Amino acid sequence: FKMPMAALTWIGLILAVCPLAEAFAPAAGLLQLRPALGRAPTFARSRQLGLVMAEKQTFKNFDDMIENSKKPVLVDFYATWCGPCVMMAKELSLISESMEDKVSVVKIDTEKYPNIASRFQIYALPTCILFKGGEPVERVEGVVKHDDLKKLIESKL
């Protein structure tokens, strides 16, 4: 039996999604985007989300993460099937790189963590919420360009 090339391509795409699923393996399931500084980065490739450099961190729960973060946390609520979320992932990568000393960027898959999405009334994707001191201080729905998002974040710091 010889497998057609199209089937091999799909298998490759499916395998490419698996590392992203591994990044959500901790109990809290949080993926924090940060540029790698002197350490080996974890690369997660997804057909929808492209290449994302991430540092896997484990927190007791979502509240622990947003309350005990040393800097404000920008949380991106997304779904893997969401087209605009793909576009927003690229903008968030830029934010993560350019504002790494000012804000932490975290992605939450709303399908894997519907309770967190429901708690913050996430009805549109993507939705980004900026948390400062454990409290939401800004909310943005839809795709926002890097420059506009950066200005919005800086206005709340």
Side-chain angles (χ1 to χ4, degrees):
F1 173 73
K2 204 170 184 185
M3 191 174 289
M5 187 55 129
L8 289 174
T9 303
W10 276 106
I11 290 170
L13 290 173
I14 291 167
L15 291 175
V17 174
C18 292
L20 187 59
E22 179 210 350
F24 287 97
L30 306 172
L31 177 66
Q32 186 167 7
L33 297 175
R34 289 186 51 185
L37 300 173
R39 59 190 171 278
T42 300
F43 289 99
R45 183 179 296 280
S46 166
R47 182 171 60 99
Q48 289 88 8
L49 297 178
L51 186 62
V52 177
M53 191 178 306
E55 178 180 313
K56 189 165 52 170
Q57 294 188 342
T58 303
F59 296 88
K60 292 178 191 172
N61 55 41
F62 182 78
D63 293 326
D64 178 43
M65 181 197 60
I66 61 174
E67 290 171 6
N68 296 320
S69 177
K70 295 176 182 163
K71 48 191 172 180
V73 179
L74 179 65
V75 180
D76 173 34
F77 292 91
Y78 78 102
T80 57
W81 50 261
C82 169
C85 297
V86 175
M87 296 176 357
M88 192 65 183
K90 294 172 187 171
E91 302 300 325
L92 289 170
S93 281
L94 294 172
I95 289 291
S96 179
E97 291 171 12
S98 67
M99 300 188 76
E100 76 164 309
D101 57 332
K102 296 179 184 175
V103 69
S104 297
V105 179
V106 176
K107 298 181 70 61
I108 300 289
D109 186 344
T110 57
E111 290 189 327
K112 291 185 180 185
Y113 303 97
N115 293 340
I116 296 173
S118 176
R119 179 174 156 201
F120 292 100
Q121 301 175 351
I122 307 299
Y123 301 120
L125 295 176
T127 296
C128 291
I129 301 178
L130 180 66
F131 291 89
K132 192 172 180 184
E135 297 296 320
V137 294
E138 188 62 60
R139 179 187 185 110
V140 178
E141 294 179 350
V143 178
V144 180
K145 290 292 181 189
H146 164 261
D147 294 333
D148 296 333
L149 189 56
K150 186 174 181 177
K151 288 176 190 171
L152 185 69
I153 293 168
E154 287 175 341
S155 74
K156 300 296 180 178
L157 294 180

